[in-house]
Amino acid sequence: MPRSQRRTPRRTRWARALCALAVSCLALVAPTAGAHADSASSAVQHITVDADGTGRTFDGIGAISGGGGTSRLLVDYPEPERSRILDYLFKPGYGASLQILKVEIGADTNSSNGAEPSHMRTRDKVDCNRGYEWWLMKEALKRNPDMRFYGLEWGAPSWFDGGFWSDDNVDYLMRWLGCANTHGLDIDYLGGWNEKGWDAAWYGKLKAALVAHGHKDVKVVAADSAGWQVATDMKNDPAFDAATDVVGIHYPCSAVHCSSSQDALSLDKPLFASESGWNNYLTGASRLAAEMNHEYVDSRITAFINWPAAYAWYPTVQMQGSGLLQANEPWTGHYDLGPTLWTIAQTAQFTHPGWRYVDSASGYLDGGGTYVTLRSPGDRPAYTTVFETTGATSPQQVDLAATGRLPHGALHRWTTTVESKNPADWFVRGANVPTNATGGHDVTLPPGTVTTLTTMPGGKGDAAGRAPAAGTQSLPYREDFDGYATDATPRYLSDMEGAFQVAPCAAGGSGKCLRQTITKKPTQWSRVPSPLTLVGDARWSDYTVSAKTRIDHSGTASLLGRVVNQVNNVGPGKVNTWQGYYLDLADSGTWTLKVLAPDKTTHVLATGSLPSGAADSWHRLRLGFAGDEITATIDGTQVAHVTDDSYDHGQVGLGLDSYTTSEFDDLEVTPAR
């Protein structure tokens, strides 16, 4: 049914470690699949799909654009490749066929893999056009008019009185929903603070504001954190219970089992894996297949939302390879698919939110693995059964039979071999499975596969074979920022902290420049200490990078080269930094050439001072790399020539040591001579 006609009731990454603890501590709903893994036999397992069988309502399969810039490079892709990638994510019956898109509500601060722009940087001004999440949601809706949308905050702007759990934040979210409406987008779900706990009273204020502002159909999700304690708190707090519509848990599964609790089940609310997955697009299909089925069989979880939708960020940023596909090479248009996307398709192409699970036809395979069955509503329901055999060691025989008003003819069969690197083994349409002499359907399930038997049609897009070849971004690369609208984010630049946007140059400059616009530290989710943006190909090796900079009154500006990797330091007082070379220039005129080395320590390679201070005037910084020789130049004068073999390749970046409106211009990367 089209959206217009339906009633819409509308990471720290330590979560996996917590969910492993939760498995041993929380009440479990059913025995683990491992209990069956050693009992494989040649006996046929009979499964009956009852047309009147009961089960929880299915809420959908989705993915996340967020946790910081995970979709940043997708928006810069050329056509037609960008549309093909979007089709693979969102177009029904084509690829992943996602049914839920969860997006970050940006706050100009790092939330794992970058910083996304805020719609409201000050109390008195709203800008509904910042960032690319609006664009992505509209593209998703264009492909699937029934797409469900879910908003969540990781960080927050600095202007809130009372911190994150404040009335100011409730107003901030109401303004974000208003922006969504101006873009023609209806939001179905709204959460609180990603993986930072919860404030029960605040959720009550949020629910009241939604009703008062005409958003009563938006469902409130609590609490987007690991573990099921939030469900216990709801059970013990009637006001908190009344304010929330969905229990949303992060990473509830180990490799072989998903946790739950009796308190969660007793609430009679939908239970979501509101962030789960976190698997590599090429190698994560096996675990993903197990999780998606186990979440219902073990825990009665009715929605699975994968982090992230796409690996569309630079490989110098952490958690490389996560997602349903790779799309981080916009200069060539190259993208890559893997079995993880097709594992999602095995369920999402053959179901719709609003279907119901059939509990009596969902469970554990005798020889290892699980199966779930879903049926559509109505007098002539369709049905789908998804089998995963990641826990099996040998083929299994199954007889699947339908009763009552369910269809009794041949079933469509689709299979993905989850560990295969061969695209010919992904989402393979097999011969239709005919009815046998007793009215059932005989199927052999090989180990290490996901197999779908369904009355529904499906399809496999063909664009993958037309993806351009991968290739290094060509040099020279030049960006003078003059061709962009004011406030735009320039092509290929990916902010890690703060917001680097195009603006008219300050005194002494000409045309437009790149200005860092955030002047006060936001409420942070991650630990990137100060504004930083990255650009370019991490495979660049010998080159010269230069840029002009103007330090606004005080602070230090940095030009980065041969940036290779994010260092996610864990522990009190630790910060996230990037390994590579830095040429720093302070407002006093002091300069430093340093390297954040492979051992995660900083080594000063050279230092000195300019004849006068560097504040409020333009200076050109230049770094040259040729083998292990590194030169630093300021205003045309070479100030250092050193040798260091820490890194022989990497991209470039621009940074500041504080939240100032300092500027950069005429960024250029040329091949070494």
Side-chain angles (χ1 to χ4, degrees):
M1 179 180 297
R3 174 181 286 270
S4 61
Q5 298 179 19
R6 66 182 174 92
R7 295 180 61 192
T8 310
R10 302 277 223 200
R11 14 313 133 22
T12 60
R13 300 303 160 209
W14 41 259
R16 283 202 168 181
L18 289 180
C19 84
L21 177 63
V23 168
S24 62
C25 297
L26 294 174
L28 303 180
V29 180
T32 69
H36 302 272
D38 296 328
S39 61
S41 70
S42 59
V44 176
Q45 184 169 351
H46 296 277
I47 301 169
T48 300
V49 183
D50 185 348
D52 297 314
T54 58
R56 293 196 167 212
T57 299
F58 173 66
D59 291 292
I61 303 296
I64 299 171
S65 175
T70 59
S71 302
R72 170 63 193 92
L73 298 179
L74 177 56
V75 71
D76 287 336
Y77 259 71
E79 292 291 355
E81 288 77 24
R82 187 173 71 175
S83 288
R84 292 173 183 167
I85 294 166
L86 293 168
D87 285 349
Y88 266 107
L89 292 173
F90 303 120
K91 184 177 178 180
Y94 188 84
S97 303
L98 295 173
Q99 300 154 340
I100 301 170
L101 176 58
K102 181 177 178 180
V103 301
E104 177 172 353
I105 301 171
D108 301 302
T109 189
N110 189 283
S111 50
S112 282
N113 289 46
E116 298 199 29
S118 168
H119 63 285
M120 198 173 177
R121 289 173 176 157
T122 62
R123 183 184 300 276
D124 58 355
K125 188 173 182 180
V126 178
D127 187 334
C128 292
N129 294 313
R130 289 199 188 109
Y132 48 82
E133 299 294 4
W134 307 118
W135 165 82
L136 187 62
M137 285 192 279
K138 287 189 284 187
E139 290 294 325
L141 189 63
K142 184 190 304 181
R143 288 160 174 80
N144 180 0
D146 291 323
M147 182 67 64
R148 297 184 175 192
F149 296 115
Y150 181 160
L152 180 68
E153 294 174 276
W154 273 250
S158 61
W159 56 266
F160 292 178
D161 288 337
F164 188 93
W165 304 111
S166 64
D167 292 345
D168 280 342
N169 195 14
V170 173
D171 180 63
Y172 184 72
L173 292 174
M174 295 306 105
R175 301 297 186 96
W176 184 81
L177 291 171
C179 285
N181 291 161
T182 67
H183 285 283
L185 299 166
D186 294 326
I187 304 302
D188 298 89
Y189 305 103
L190 190 64
W193 196 356
N194 182 76
E195 296 175 357
K196 296 290 187 181
W198 54 91
D199 181 311
W202 182 88
Y203 279 91
K205 294 178 180 179
L206 177 63
K207 173 63 83 172
L210 289 170
V211 173
H213 287 80
H215 303 299
K216 62 183 178 61
D217 289 337
V218 177
K219 293 182 179 294
V220 174
V221 184
D224 280 294
S225 292
W228 293 96
Q229 180 60 42
V230 67
T232 300
D233 285 7
M234 290 179 194
K235 179 183 177 182
N236 295 330
D237 183 341
F240 187 22
D241 182 35
T244 56
D245 304 288
V246 177
V247 180
I249 303 300
H250 287 198
Y251 302 101
C253 302
S254 70
V256 296
H257 192 78
C258 301
S259 67
S260 186
S261 74
Q262 292 301 329
D263 286 345
L265 293 168
S266 71
L267 292 173
D268 196 28
K269 297 179 187 290
L271 309 180
F272 284 15
S274 56
E275 182 178 326
S276 200
W278 187 14
N279 296 296
N280 186 282
Y281 81 101
L282 286 174
T283 62
S286 181
R287 175 160 181 153
L288 180 63
E291 279 187 43
M292 289 177 65
N293 273 16
H294 273 282
E295 283 181 347
Y296 188 76
V297 173
D298 298 345
S299 311
R300 295 303 186 251
I301 291 170
T302 58
F304 170 89
I305 304 178
N306 192 78
W307 185 87
Y311 171 34
W313 63 89
Y314 286 120
T316 54
V317 181
Q318 65 185 350
M319 304 167 192
Q320 299 90 341
S322 301
L324 306 182
L325 53 82
Q326 179 189 35
N328 62 353
E329 200 173 290
W331 45 85
T332 65
H334 175 73
Y335 59 92
D336 194 31
L337 309 179
T340 302
L341 179 140
W342 297 114
T343 298
I344 291 278
Q346 293 277 162
T347 297
Q349 283 207 19
F350 309 110
T351 58
H352 293 290
W355 284 31
R356 282 194 174 272
Y357 285 95
V358 181
D359 288 354
S360 59
S362 302
Y364 303 97
L365 291 168
D366 293 339
T370 58
Y371 59 97
V372 295
T373 300
L374 302 99
R375 61 174 175 83
S376 67
D379 294 332
R380 298 173 61 86
Y383 74 95
T384 292
T385 302
V386 183
F387 304 87
E388 62 83 15
T389 58
T390 60
T393 58
S394 60
Q396 300 177 69
Q397 307 297 318
V398 170
D399 175 23
L400 181 70
T403 67
R405 63 190 182 281
L406 291 171
H408 295 275
L411 297 177
H412 304 299
R413 174 175 179 160
W414 294 82
T415 300
T416 295
T417 304
V418 292
E419 296 291 337
S420 175
K421 304 300 187 292
N422 184 354
D425 295 330
W426 307 336
F427 206 64
V428 178
R429 182 167 186 172
N432 286 351
V433 182
T435 54
N436 58 28
T438 60
H441 302 83
D442 296 321
V443 61
T444 300
L445 304 173
T449 60
V450 183
T451 297
T452 303
L453 297 185
T454 180
T455 62
M456 297 286 288
K460 184 174 184 179
D462 62 355
R466 293 181 282 153
T472 304
Q473 185 179 1
S474 62
L475 293 176
Y477 162 81
R478 295 186 175 93
E479 185 60 84
D480 63 11
F481 309 110
D482 289 341
Y484 296 96
T486 298
D487 295 333
T489 299
R491 186 175 64 161
Y492 302 160
L493 266 69
S494 183
D495 296 344
M496 296 295 105
E497 176 68 11
F500 291 79
Q501 295 187 332
V502 174
C505 293
S510 62
K512 293 180 179 178
C513 294
L514 186 70
R515 179 181 298 161
Q516 201 290 121
T517 62
I518 307 305
T519 58
K520 190 174 180 181
K521 183 178 180 179
T523 298
Q524 292 189 303
W525 186 85
S526 186
R527 301 179 306 278
V528 176
S530 56
L532 176 72
T533 192
L534 299 174
V535 67
D537 197 319
R539 293 165 293 192
W540 285 342
S541 180
D542 291 352
Y543 60 82
T544 297
V545 56
S546 66
K548 291 166 58 179
T549 185
R550 181 185 181 276
I551 300 169
D552 188 12
H553 299 307
S554 64
T556 297
S558 300
L559 177 67
L560 285 66
R562 284 187 176 174
V563 178
V564 296
N565 188 53
Q566 180 177 352
V567 178
N568 191 345
N569 289 304
V570 178
K574 299 293 186 180
V575 296
N576 291 354
T577 52
W578 273 263
Q579 292 172 311
Y581 296 93
Y582 295 69
L583 177 57
D584 298 341
L585 179 63
D587 60 272
S588 64
T590 299
W591 61 265
T592 303
L593 176 62
K594 64 189 182 185
V595 60
L596 178 55
D599 64 1
K600 302 182 183 181
T601 61
T602 298
H603 304 287
V604 174
L605 304 177
T607 189
S609 295
L610 301 182
S612 60
D616 300 318
S617 58
W618 287 93
H619 298 273
R620 180 170 285 280
L621 308 181
R622 186 185 305 272
L623 279 171
F625 302 96
D628 62 0
E629 294 187 46
I630 304 164
T631 57
T633 302
I634 301 178
D635 295 333
T637 300
Q638 183 173 298
V639 295
H641 182 185
V642 302
T643 59
D644 185 88
D645 62 359
S646 297
Y647 308 110
D648 63 2
H649 66 281
Q651 64 176 164
V652 304
L654 304 169
L656 301 169
D657 74 337
S658 55
Y659 294 87
T660 66
T661 55
S662 297
E663 296 178 349
F664 296 89
D665 200 7
D666 296 338
L667 175 62
E668 182 178 65
V669 186
T670 59
R673 296 176 181 174

